Amino acid sequence: MKRRLKVTALALLTILWFTPAIAQTCADADLLLRNGHIVTMDGARSVVNAMAVRDGKILALGNGDALAGCASSRTQLLDLHRHTVLPGLIDVHTHVMEWAKSILSGEIDADYPAVHSIAEITQAVAHRAATLPPGQWIVGAGWDDSKLAERRYITRQDLDRASPNNPVYLKHVSGHMGAANSAALKLANITKATHDPGGGVIERDASGEPTGILKDTAMGLIAGLLPGDPPDINVRAAQFIFEKAAEVGLTTIHDIFISSDEMRGYQEARRRGWLKIRVQMSPRIGSIADAEKLAEMGVHTGFGDDLLKFGAAKMFADGGMGARTIAIYPPGVIGEPNNLGVLRWTPADMQKAHLIAAGAGWQLETHAIGDRAIDEVLDSYAAVIQQLGLKDHRFRIVHAGISTPAVQKRLRELNVLVDGNPPFVYWIGSWFQKYGPERVRWSYPAKSYIENGIIEAAGSDVPVTPLSPWWGIWAAVVRRDLQSGQILAPEERISVEQALTLYTRNGAYAGFEEDRKGALEPGKLADFIVVDRDVLTVPVDELKDVKVLQTFVSGQSVYDSLSAGHVQ
Ligand SMILES: [Zn+2]
């Protein structure tokens, strides 16, 4: 009896506590959404049909007429016609600036599905060469040998035939290698006698001559010779990014390993009022000197505001699967038993750079795909965490492509997060296969992460896969490889709701923003999207085709498919 009284008293208190609170605070909303299917992604995964917004934040959520009192005569009412609403999606790993600049500067587009063969690429190069004076560079990006009819890397001979007098450099879609012609190799002084730089490979033919393929740090031998960016391109790229991102439902993106010019581009775009979605900028650390410079500036992760801020500091530990340069334990790559990949840092230098950056307040994120590289990074993280006595560090492994049970155990123990890449299984799943079935089993294991309590957020790694997060949400659920049609590690498939969690709540957590975004809850930023179908119940193959009808940031519409354009 006493217990029951207590419960009743608690219930009464709850009613007294919450009812007047809503009546008092939920008034004079700027915007009231009604008649929707609002998937809040809150802790209880509530679904409601109404939401009130004021001053850029969510005021209240509820059902039926519960929020009627929130409206005043000035409140804008939006009938959702039962459409599904989700929190704005978050992509924690992109290279959007690089991608946008490549498009805007008219580089040769060698990306699938724009091209399907080396023949098509060399034709485009020959076309370009015919319009340029000798000596002028021809640059392109996006080729993927696994999707080209010839199923091999582009060689210098391919490019020499198309462009004997103009230097050519075509970046691989992975960002971990490029193909140069003889004119380009000559300008860079790369010959048979040139040694591989540490952390890089100059690929050679049977006679020891460079083939034109430069992997990882070897790309640096040519990077400094490429034509500089046209003026204003960074700010134009920023504007391009905001429009494309809003169109596919992204309201927060992390742009990773960016240069100072690119950071200036974002700041200028913001000054001009062009910044429509939220950006975390992740500066690059390529050397200990970079880490020292970053520390000397006195700013760190989180500096900025809800629109534009600094994210984590980014380093690279190894190479890419496409370039076959990820650092693995034996056995090596299929067909190349001695190839165990490259490590870009000595363990001592990596730890030194990590310690300097983390000591200055930077969250760390380090690219590591092979298990040997992941172990090197985790050794370094463990030492830094201990040395600095860090509690809520949220250090991140970027990709963690080969995440074996041993790796996962360490991730869990150290509370290290994973910036995973759900769309990789579809777009570049064929690259996994070169590493053998045991490694395919542990490639990007989303389900295991959930079961083992490891927090994974999601990234497209644009331009490696397309910007639209719907490819990733779909691929996480089906795990079908584009080339073979096979389901890769079917036991790692996750539900739609779990996939959405990677793109919402977990993305917010990875960016230290879970109090601001990642779910639709009172007090959080009013970043949300309206989509054209009920993503929780549609046939799974439709997930990749989801269209965003409207995107809101801070309660303002930044994209509206019905008015077929962007609301200025
Ligand atoms: Zn990347």
Side-chain angles (χ1 to χ4, degrees):
M1 182 66 185
K2 204 174 168 191
R3 190 185 150 81
R4 184 164 166 192
L5 256 179
K6 225 165 138 185
V7 171
T8 314
L10 188 69
L12 193 66
L13 192 67
T14 310
I15 293 166
L16 286 173
W17 186 259
F18 284 108
T19 312
I22 286 174
Q24 270 173 22
T25 61
C26 195
D28 198 28
D30 296 326
L31 175 65
L32 181 59
L33 309 168
R34 295 178 303 182
N35 191 27
H37 178 245
I38 302 174
V39 178
T40 65
M41 296 303 290
D42 66 3
R45 300 297 190 268
S46 317
V47 176
V48 298
N49 58 37
M51 179 164 77
V53 172
R54 191 176 64 202
D55 297 331
K57 292 193 177 144
I58 297 165
L59 210 47
L61 295 126
N63 284 302
D65 291 331
L67 304 190
C70 301
S72 69
S73 57
R74 68 171 198 94
T75 302
Q76 185 198 343
L77 302 175
L78 181 61
D79 186 336
L80 291 165
H81 302 288
R82 301 299 303 151
H83 276 123
T84 294
V85 171
L86 294 164
L89 302 176
I90 300 169
D91 186 328
V92 299
H93 190 88
T94 73
H95 306 282
V96 275
M97 262 289 181
E98 182 193 324
W99 166 73
K101 287 197 291 185
S102 175
I103 295 170
L104 295 179
S105 59
E107 289 186 359
I108 292 199
D109 180 7
D111 206 353
Y112 175 89
V115 296
H116 298 84
S117 66
I118 292 176
E120 282 175 60
I121 294 170
T122 52
Q123 203 176 4
V125 169
H127 236 86
R128 184 69 58 92
T131 67
L132 294 176
Q136 209 157 317
W137 277 91
I138 297 169
V139 181
W143 64 276
D144 175 357
D145 45 297
S146 76
K147 298 187 185 70
L148 297 173
E150 296 86 350
R151 291 282 192 281
R152 61 169 175 84
Y153 291 168
I154 300 171
T155 65
R156 101 187 126 83
Q157 289 86 353
D158 294 326
L159 299 173
D160 287 348
R161 278 190 287 275
S163 172
N165 303 317
N166 294 76
V168 182
Y169 185 61
L170 304 180
K171 289 169 272 187
H172 189 260
V173 68
S174 66
H176 287 272
M177 63 180 167
N181 70 346
S182 297
L185 293 174
K186 196 168 171 205
L187 285 174
N189 279 321
I190 298 170
T191 66
K192 197 172 175 174
T194 312
H195 291 293
D196 286 357
V201 177
I202 299 167
E203 198 193 53
R204 294 156 208 272
D205 62 20
S207 65
E209 289 291 342
T211 62
I213 293 288
L214 305 171
K215 297 182 176 180
D216 290 284
T217 58
M219 297 186 296
L221 301 173
I222 250 172
L225 303 171
L226 299 176
D229 286 338
D232 232 26
I233 193 159
N234 290 294
V235 67
R236 285 190 290 121
Q239 187 185 34
F240 181 84
I241 291 160
F242 308 144
E243 293 190 350
K244 296 294 172 195
E247 214 173 285
V248 293
L250 292 167
T251 55
T252 297
I253 49 171
H254 296 202
D255 195 347
I256 310 297
F257 208 67
I258 60 178
S259 68
S260 42
D261 278 342
E262 291 168 344
M263 288 193 265
R264 278 188 278 273
Y266 278 121
Q267 290 173 81
E268 178 60 16
R270 194 222 159 102
R271 195 188 65 78
R272 294 184 192 180
W274 293 354
L275 192 44
K276 290 183 194 154
I277 65 156
R278 308 182 194 282
V279 177
Q280 286 206 4
M281 302 182 289
S282 289
R284 52 174 74 183
I285 297 180
S287 63
I288 290 172
D290 284 351
E292 282 165 345
K293 264 190 279 173
L294 210 49
E296 273 166 25
M297 278 204 305
V299 294
H300 54 68
T301 300
F303 178 73
D305 57 25
D306 282 329
L307 215 47
L308 184 61
K309 64 167 71 164
F310 280 122
K314 166 77 185 293
M315 286 169 49
F316 277 92
D318 65 350
M321 281 191 181
R324 301 183 205 131
T325 48
I326 64 168
I328 48 175
Y329 294 112
V333 186
I334 289 176
E336 299 172 63
N338 297 323
N339 181 357
L340 299 179
V342 298
L343 286 171
R344 294 211 190 181
W345 298 75
T346 64
D349 281 356
M350 174 182 283
Q351 201 178 312
K352 195 165 175 193
H354 276 156
L355 188 63
I356 293 166
W362 287 92
Q363 180 190 20
L364 304 178
E365 58 175 1
T366 311
H367 165 116
I369 299 183
D371 44 3
R372 189 162 62 97
I374 299 171
D375 268 343
E376 185 193 27
V377 177
L378 291 177
D379 288 347
S380 176
Y381 281 178
V384 170
I385 291 163
Q386 210 218 354
Q387 214 164 326
L388 298 174
L390 300 175
K391 293 278 175 286
D392 192 18
H393 52 81
R394 304 194 198 180
F395 289 171
R396 294 147 65 176
I397 298 276
V398 176
H399 309 307
I402 314 284
S403 201
T404 60
V407 162
Q408 291 189 48
K409 186 164 175 284
R410 296 192 74 194
L411 289 168
R412 172 81 186 114
E413 282 165 5
L414 293 166
N415 275 319
V416 167
L417 320 184
V418 170
D419 293 352
N421 309 97
F424 278 16
V425 180
Y426 174 67
W427 285 101
I428 56 175
S430 61
W431 301 356
F432 303 180
Q433 319 254 15
K434 287 181 292 203
Y435 288 90
E438 179 64 15
R439 294 195 184 99
V440 171
R441 166 64 190 88
W442 296 111
S443 292
Y444 299 88
K447 184 73 169 284
S448 296
Y449 287 148
I450 295 167
E451 284 166 358
N452 294 329
I454 296 159
I455 296 177
E456 178 192 4
S460 59
D461 206 8
V462 165
V464 178
T465 75
L467 183 66
S468 169
W470 301 101
W471 285 109
I473 292 164
W474 167 71
V477 174
V478 305
R479 287 188 70 97
R480 189 184 305 134
D481 164 30
L482 180 154
Q483 291 293 334
S484 65
Q486 283 171 14
I487 310 291
L488 303 183
E491 49 280 79
E492 297 297 343
R493 286 176 292 193
I494 56 176
S495 71
V496 181
E497 191 190 274
Q498 287 168 332
L500 287 171
T501 301
L502 308 189
Y503 283 91
T504 55
R505 300 175 66 87
N506 292 6
Y509 185 82
F512 285 100
E513 297 179 314
E514 73 277 15
D515 59 334
R516 322 280 293 145
K517 61 177 78 153
L520 302 175
E521 289 173 305
K524 292 211 161 100
L525 296 166
D527 296 355
F528 56 91
I529 58 176
V530 186
V531 295
D532 69 342
R533 56 201 95 185
D534 177 3
V535 294
L536 294 179
T537 58
V538 287
V540 290
D541 272 335
E542 278 191 32
L543 288 168
K544 64 183 185 319
D545 308 319
V546 169
K547 292 280 173 292
V548 174
L549 301 176
Q550 228 176 334
T551 300
F552 290 81
V553 172
S554 288
Q556 305 285 323
S557 174
V558 293
Y559 168 73
D560 186 344
S561 70
L562 296 179
S563 59
H566 307 276
V567 180
Q568 295 300 323

